[in-house]
Amino acid sequence: MSRVLEPLVVGKVIGEVIDNFNPTVKMTVTYGSNNQVFNGHEFFPSAVLSKPRVEVQGDDMRSFFTLVGSLVDLASLTQTN
């Protein structure tokens, strides 16, 4: 039996917030000079004071992409005890 290790699947972002997808290009996001963003990693607010640098790789300069941010922990904010 295989285990799902992708943080966005484990956190139910893929499947509940967005549909399943297969990435077609590589994208990197960096804060400051060396704080690269990886799925499932968190930063302190002091590490993300500057705007992020987003790099989308690909050979076709005619392609455009939309970067969408979401508050994936919204369910825990709206749950009542």
Side-chain angles (χ1 to χ4, degrees), residues 6-8 26-31 34-43:
E6 171 62 47
L8 295 178
K26 183 177 178 181
M27 179 183 78
T28 58
V29 180
T30 307
Y31 282 95
N34 62 353
N35 289 330
Q36 189 169 355
V37 175
F38 296 99
N39 291 338
H41 290 204
E42 297 181 9
F43 291 105

Side-chain angles (χ1 to χ4, degrees), residues 6 9 17 20 33-34 40 45-46 48 59-60 67 78 81:
E6 171 62 47
V9 174
V17 178
N20 196 5
S33 60
N34 62 353
S46 60
V48 294
D59 297 332
D60 189 354
L67 179 63
T78 58
N81 294 331

Side-chain angles (χ1 to χ4, degrees), residues 6-21 39:
E6 171 62 47
L8 295 178
V9 174
V10 172
K12 298 183 181 178
V13 174
I14 295 176
E16 290 187 11
V17 178
I18 59 174
D19 293 332
N20 196 5
F21 66 94
N39 291 338

